[in-house]
Amino acid sequence: MSKIRVIIADDHGVVRAGLRGLLAAAGLDVVGEAGTGAEAVSLARSLHPDVVLLDVRMPEMDGLQALTAIKSELPEISVVMLTVYASTEYLSRAIAAGAAGYLLKDAEPDEIVRVVRAAAEGSRVIDASLLQSVLEHTPVAEADALQQADLTQQELRVLKLIALGLTNDAIAETLVVSRNTVKTHVRHIFEKLGVSDRTQAAIWAVRNGLVE
Amino acid sequence: MSKIRVIIADDHGVVRAGLRGLLAAAGLDVVGEAGTGAEAVSLARSLHPDVVLLDVRMPEMDGLQALTAIKSELPEISVVMLTVYASTEYLSRAIAAGAAGYLLKDAEPDEIVRVVRAAAEGSRVIDASLLQSVLEHTPVAEADALQQADLTQQELRVLKLIALGLTNDAIAETLVVSRNTVKTHVRHIFEKLGVSDRTQAAIWAVRNGLVE
DNA sequence: GAAAAAATCACCCCGCAGGATGATTTTTCA
DNA sequence: TGAAAAATCATCCTGCGGGGTGATTTTTTC
């Protein structure tokens, strides 16, 4: 079994060095480094790594743009986003654009390695602490419809992940439960909201300020 | 072939009378009238009509609540919503709650009859003028991402309908094209937005202010 | 008037989503 | 402590969604 090949893209040399050491120590193969989004894309093209670690904020094409470029040209490469902010907005966009993972820079080294490994295997994993903030923090405003919906805690989490654009399988992985369990929650959510599919549920969630 | 049985629910007697005459003249059978949402629900329960015409605004349970109650208890009954406002917000909710049609009160008599007839047959039809206003009116603010997406006119319409929660078949009916055509547009939309399913496309649309 | 873009539609395939049902375990709360 | 609610998971089934390909017609644009 060959090593997982990774490209690191961040505009700060210090961060790159830190990540490189961290990943190398875990037995991963850092095959390239980029300081801009554009560089990251061309490196991905020439080196075909298993995973690209992209900082959200970079000169000459930011992380999201680079992500989009890579996924459209090289969809088989897994891209993990790195950020300092726990922004639902960005998270949602990154997921929609096909990111395999989303990491906070202050995440535990083990957590970073875990997410990169999972990404290489084709899984989608969101950093636990980031996920926490997204799932547990509900904007207080406009909570009336939410109250009326009378969702349970777990159903609420599932709904938020639906509203982020995750599939049932991705939700199952994220919440560490089985796919069947997720499907059960999803059905209950539909009943309670009075909708008939996940798209309508997502729209409901966005309109009622459940996310963002 | 028996007449289509309709219940009319509106808190204004004048409106009810107008609708009754209009529908009767078209050969439909108005089997009941209600002045409140609660009445409409109980009438629906006892009379089992083919179609219920619900005013959005009514005392004792508004139209949306009545719609939800009817659809959960008697899903086989088609419900057409009546309103004076062309609100995307309400339209989206009504569709999500299972409305078969959505009519403006100042719609042409022929149009009203057409929608009620279509609803009785199980189709989902949105009043043409209302649809027009929803489809052709794009909030100017935040049009940057939209420009970048570079969608064609028809793709834009399809995306808006996706963001209202319509299925491909419903979109096909609404735009009067084949299902295959819709699917083609949908695929192109996904490519242009860089998303992988309709839920993410809907979220994109809402976030970028494409609807509402 | 020719070339390019947009819109239309068909057929095939596959997998996930969504519906129905039943069941067990854990947690909550009166 | 005992009942109710919540969370977990399974299995079966069906259909729609989404991917791939190809093709024709209409409209736009240079």
Side-chain angles (χ1 to χ4, degrees), chain A residues 29-48:
Chain A
D29 192 6
V30 178
V31 296
E33 295 183 18
T36 70
E39 259 187 81
V41 175
S42 65
L43 269 186
R45 196 162 20 220
S46 58
L47 297 179
H48 282 84

Side-chain angles (χ1 to χ4, degrees), chain B residues 115-134:
Chain B
V115 170
V116 173
R117 280 226 160 84
E121 287 166 10
S123 297
R124 287 191 151 192
V125 179
I126 299 168
D127 172 53
S129 62
L130 173 58
L131 184 65
Q132 199 71 7
S133 75
V134 170

